[in-house]
Amino acid sequence: MIVAIILTVYAIALSLAVPQLLLRANWVDRAPRLAIASWQALTVAVVGSLALAGLSFAIPIAGLGGQGIIDDLQACAMALQQQYSTPAGAAVGIGGALLAGAVITRSFWGLASTGARMSRERNAHRRVLDMVGRPDFDRDIVILDSTEAAVYCMPGIHRRTVVTTAALHALTDEELIAVLAHERAHLTERHDLALAFSVALSQAFHGLPPFRLAARETSRLVELRADDVAAARTHRLTVAAALLAVVAVPPHAVPAVALGAAGPGAAARVRRLLPPRQSVGRFPVCAVSVAIALLLIAPGLALGWPAVTSADHALCPAEPETSLSASLSSSGSAPAPAPAAHAPCAVDSMDEGRFSS
């Protein structure tokens, strides 16, 4: 019960505190890839903590950690019988099972439905591109006749990078190289998977604050990451000029399931590219990486701690104290002096038996 309460409080604390910390952190825009990992770890930790909390309410684990599988099964059966023998315990257990089932079911439903929908829409748009687009094998792009200066990519197995004829006229050769580097960064680093994951959890949990903010920030951060890759391969001012050339693209010019160069916050991205980029030091990167690891492993540590402590007590039980009166009554004389050695555990008992034989 204590573990379940700790996991529930942990999930609530993460949902309230970590999004605000990430939104206010000054390193996020300078290290977008690390920030994406932070938002992903936050949502995974919240979902995992709630699911494990529900399972802990439904299945008590305080009695586990015996000397064998049979002992663990007997302890588990006794704990279950004790909890569900009262109406209050049964209500807590059933509520925990419902919580765990709801969290796990909605998570898988959101991921499966979002993935299927995006895949279906992308395949439909690829078929349209194959019919009306003109492949340019030298630049590995598909040219689409349009009066809108749009550049976007369709991720997946049969990936496409689409450039409209208006964009070819609006961009210089250097700017075209920069914007293509931006789109290929999306494809190479599979930003579509990070976006699909965050959108799926946001839809599965009805846009609760941590999931809604994670989806919004991930959509923005993948564009910053692609800008950084393009700036490293060309020049930051070239990337800024290319963004200005395609920033006025209307929403209908780029499919909703595509990743376009004129993504969310294009004006702010241009301002970010104008001054020289300031990199994040090694210490902040290491600190954030350790924090991400702790976010992910903390629920598992909390769940396994009772079993570990129970196992420690089973391997080395406390030695019963012998009273002075018991010694006197059994021998009729003064008790023998206590041995200087510590109380024996399992290994010491084995050694004692070997020497006595």
Short mmCIF file of all heavy atoms in Angstrom, two decimals, residues 101-117 196-197 199-207:
data_model
loop_
_atom_site.label_atom_id
_atom_site.label_comp_id
_atom_site.label_asym_id
_atom_site.label_seq_id
_atom_site.Cartn_x
_atom_site.Cartn_y
_atom_site.Cartn_z
N GLY A 101 -5.51 -0.88 -15.46
CA GLY A 101 -6.08 -1.28 -16.75
C GLY A 101 -6.41 -0.10 -17.63
O GLY A 101 -6.17 -0.12 -18.85
N ALA A 102 -6.94 0.98 -17.03
CA ALA A 102 -7.29 2.15 -17.82
C ALA A 102 -6.05 2.83 -18.39
O ALA A 102 -6.03 3.22 -19.57
CB ALA A 102 -8.08 3.14 -16.95
N VAL A 103 -5.01 2.98 -17.56
CA VAL A 103 -3.78 3.64 -18.04
C VAL A 103 -3.13 2.84 -19.15
O VAL A 103 -2.75 3.38 -20.20
CB VAL A 103 -2.82 3.85 -16.86
CG1 VAL A 103 -1.45 4.32 -17.35
CG2 VAL A 103 -3.39 4.87 -15.88
N ILE A 104 -2.99 1.54 -18.95
CA ILE A 104 -2.33 0.70 -19.96
C ILE A 104 -3.16 0.62 -21.23
O ILE A 104 -2.63 0.75 -22.35
CB ILE A 104 -2.07 -0.70 -19.38
CG1 ILE A 104 -1.08 -0.62 -18.21
CG2 ILE A 104 -1.54 -1.64 -20.45
CD1 ILE A 104 -0.91 -1.92 -17.46
N THR A 105 -4.47 0.44 -21.09
CA THR A 105 -5.32 0.31 -22.27
C THR A 105 -5.36 1.60 -23.07
O THR A 105 -5.23 1.57 -24.31
CB THR A 105 -6.75 -0.07 -21.84
OG1 THR A 105 -6.71 -1.30 -21.10
CG2 THR A 105 -7.64 -0.24 -23.05
N ARG A 106 -5.52 2.72 -22.41
CA ARG A 106 -5.57 4.00 -23.13
C ARG A 106 -4.24 4.32 -23.79
O ARG A 106 -4.20 4.90 -24.88
CB ARG A 106 -6.01 5.13 -22.19
CG ARG A 106 -7.45 5.02 -21.72
CD ARG A 106 -7.97 6.36 -21.25
NE ARG A 106 -8.05 7.32 -22.34
CZ ARG A 106 -9.07 7.43 -23.17
NH1 ARG A 106 -10.11 6.62 -23.05
NH2 ARG A 106 -9.06 8.34 -24.13
N SER A 107 -3.14 3.97 -23.14
CA SER A 107 -1.83 4.22 -23.75
C SER A 107 -1.67 3.42 -25.03
O SER A 107 -1.28 3.98 -26.08
CB SER A 107 -0.72 3.87 -22.76
OG SER A 107 -0.79 4.69 -21.60
N PHE A 108 -1.95 2.13 -24.97
CA PHE A 108 -1.81 1.31 -26.17
C PHE A 108 -2.83 1.71 -27.24
O PHE A 108 -2.51 1.70 -28.43
CB PHE A 108 -1.96 -0.18 -25.81
CG PHE A 108 -0.71 -0.78 -25.26
CD1 PHE A 108 -0.55 -0.98 -23.91
CD2 PHE A 108 0.33 -1.14 -26.11
CE1 PHE A 108 0.61 -1.53 -23.38
CE2 PHE A 108 1.50 -1.69 -25.61
CZ PHE A 108 1.64 -1.89 -24.25
N TRP A 109 -4.02 2.06 -26.82
CA TRP A 109 -5.03 2.49 -27.79
C TRP A 109 -4.59 3.78 -28.47
O TRP A 109 -4.72 3.92 -29.70
CB TRP A 109 -6.36 2.72 -27.10
CG TRP A 109 -7.37 3.40 -27.99
CD1 TRP A 109 -8.15 2.84 -28.95
CD2 TRP A 109 -7.66 4.80 -28.02
NE1 TRP A 109 -8.92 3.79 -29.58
CE2 TRP A 109 -8.64 5.01 -29.02
CE3 TRP A 109 -7.20 5.90 -27.29
CZ2 TRP A 109 -9.15 6.28 -29.31
CZ3 TRP A 109 -7.71 7.15 -27.57
CH2 TRP A 109 -8.68 7.32 -28.57
N GLY A 110 -4.07 4.73 -27.70
CA GLY A 110 -3.62 5.99 -28.30
C GLY A 110 -2.46 5.78 -29.27
O GLY A 110 -2.45 6.33 -30.37
N LEU A 111 -1.50 4.96 -28.88
CA LEU A 111 -0.36 4.71 -29.76
C LEU A 111 -0.78 3.98 -31.03
O LEU A 111 -0.35 4.33 -32.14
CB LEU A 111 0.70 3.90 -29.02
CG LEU A 111 1.40 4.61 -27.85
CD1 LEU A 111 2.27 3.63 -27.08
CD2 LEU A 111 2.24 5.77 -28.37
N ALA A 112 -1.63 2.97 -30.89
CA ALA A 112 -2.04 2.19 -32.06
C ALA A 112 -2.91 3.01 -33.00
O ALA A 112 -2.71 3.01 -34.22
CB ALA A 112 -2.79 0.94 -31.60
N SER A 113 -3.88 3.74 -32.46
CA SER A 113 -4.78 4.51 -33.32
C SER A 113 -4.06 5.66 -34.00
O SER A 113 -4.27 5.92 -35.19
CB SER A 113 -5.96 5.03 -32.51
OG SER A 113 -5.52 5.89 -31.46
N THR A 114 -3.20 6.35 -33.27
CA THR A 114 -2.45 7.47 -33.86
C THR A 114 -1.49 6.97 -34.93
O THR A 114 -1.38 7.56 -36.01
CB THR A 114 -1.68 8.23 -32.78
OG1 THR A 114 -2.60 8.73 -31.81
CG2 THR A 114 -0.91 9.40 -33.38
N GLY A 115 -0.79 5.87 -34.64
CA GLY A 115 0.13 5.33 -35.64
C GLY A 115 -0.59 4.86 -36.89
O GLY A 115 -0.12 5.11 -38.01
N ALA A 116 -1.73 4.20 -36.72
CA ALA A 116 -2.49 3.74 -37.89
C ALA A 116 -3.03 4.91 -38.71
O ALA A 116 -2.99 4.89 -39.95
CB ALA A 116 -3.62 2.83 -37.44
N ARG A 117 -3.53 5.93 -38.04
CA ARG A 117 -4.07 7.09 -38.76
C ARG A 117 -2.98 7.82 -39.54
O ARG A 117 -3.17 8.17 -40.71
CB ARG A 117 -4.74 8.05 -37.77
CG ARG A 117 -5.25 9.33 -38.40
CD ARG A 117 -5.90 10.22 -37.37
NE ARG A 117 -4.99 10.56 -36.29
CZ ARG A 117 -4.07 11.53 -36.36
NH1 ARG A 117 -3.93 12.23 -37.48
NH2 ARG A 117 -3.29 11.79 -35.33
N ALA A 196 4.69 11.46 -33.05
CA ALA A 196 3.57 10.52 -32.96
C ALA A 196 3.38 10.04 -31.53
O ALA A 196 2.24 9.92 -31.05
CB ALA A 196 3.80 9.34 -33.90
N PHE A 197 4.47 9.78 -30.81
CA PHE A 197 4.37 9.31 -29.44
C PHE A 197 3.73 10.36 -28.54
O PHE A 197 2.82 10.06 -27.76
CB PHE A 197 5.77 8.96 -28.92
CG PHE A 197 5.79 8.40 -27.53
CD1 PHE A 197 5.47 7.09 -27.29
CD2 PHE A 197 6.13 9.21 -26.46
CE1 PHE A 197 5.48 6.57 -26.00
CE2 PHE A 197 6.14 8.71 -25.17
CZ PHE A 197 5.82 7.38 -24.94
N VAL A 199 1.86 13.00 -29.43
CA VAL A 199 0.48 13.26 -29.84
C VAL A 199 -0.44 12.12 -29.39
O VAL A 199 -1.57 12.36 -28.93
CB VAL A 199 0.41 13.45 -31.36
CG1 VAL A 199 -1.04 13.47 -31.85
CG2 VAL A 199 1.10 14.76 -31.76
N ALA A 200 0.04 10.89 -29.49
CA ALA A 200 -0.78 9.74 -29.08
C ALA A 200 -1.12 9.79 -27.60
O ALA A 200 -2.29 9.59 -27.21
CB ALA A 200 -0.05 8.45 -29.41
N LEU A 201 -0.15 10.09 -26.75
CA LEU A 201 -0.43 10.15 -25.32
C LEU A 201 -1.31 11.35 -24.99
O LEU A 201 -2.16 11.27 -24.09
CB LEU A 201 0.87 10.22 -24.53
CG LEU A 201 1.73 8.96 -24.54
CD1 LEU A 201 2.95 9.14 -23.66
CD2 LEU A 201 0.93 7.75 -24.08
N SER A 202 -1.14 12.45 -25.70
CA SER A 202 -2.00 13.62 -25.45
C SER A 202 -3.45 13.31 -25.78
O SER A 202 -4.36 13.69 -25.04
CB SER A 202 -1.50 14.81 -26.27
OG SER A 202 -2.32 15.94 -26.08
N GLN A 203 -3.67 12.61 -26.89
CA GLN A 203 -5.03 12.24 -27.24
C GLN A 203 -5.58 11.15 -26.34
O GLN A 203 -6.77 11.14 -26.00
CB GLN A 203 -5.07 11.79 -28.70
CG GLN A 203 -4.75 12.90 -29.69
CD GLN A 203 -4.77 12.42 -31.13
OE1 GLN A 203 -4.87 11.22 -31.39
NE2 GLN A 203 -4.67 13.35 -32.06
N ALA A 204 -4.74 10.22 -25.90
CA ALA A 204 -5.21 9.13 -25.05
C ALA A 204 -5.67 9.63 -23.69
O ALA A 204 -6.63 9.09 -23.12
CB ALA A 204 -4.11 8.09 -24.88
N PHE A 205 -5.01 10.66 -23.18
CA PHE A 205 -5.34 11.18 -21.85
C PHE A 205 -6.01 12.54 -21.93
O PHE A 205 -5.88 13.36 -21.02
CB PHE A 205 -4.09 11.23 -20.98
CG PHE A 205 -3.51 9.87 -20.69
CD1 PHE A 205 -2.43 9.40 -21.41
CD2 PHE A 205 -4.08 9.05 -19.74
CE1 PHE A 205 -1.90 8.15 -21.16
CE2 PHE A 205 -3.57 7.80 -19.48
CZ PHE A 205 -2.47 7.33 -20.19
N HIS A 206 -6.69 12.79 -23.03
CA HIS A 206 -7.56 13.96 -23.19
C HIS A 206 -6.85 15.28 -22.95
O HIS A 206 -7.39 16.21 -22.32
CB HIS A 206 -8.78 13.85 -22.27
CG HIS A 206 -9.63 12.65 -22.53
ND1 HIS A 206 -10.41 12.51 -23.67
CD2 HIS A 206 -9.81 11.52 -21.81
CE1 HIS A 206 -11.04 11.35 -23.63
NE2 HIS A 206 -10.69 10.73 -22.53
N GLY A 207 -5.61 15.36 -23.38
CA GLY A 207 -4.89 16.62 -23.29
C GLY A 207 -4.60 17.09 -21.89
O GLY A 207 -4.58 18.31 -21.63
#
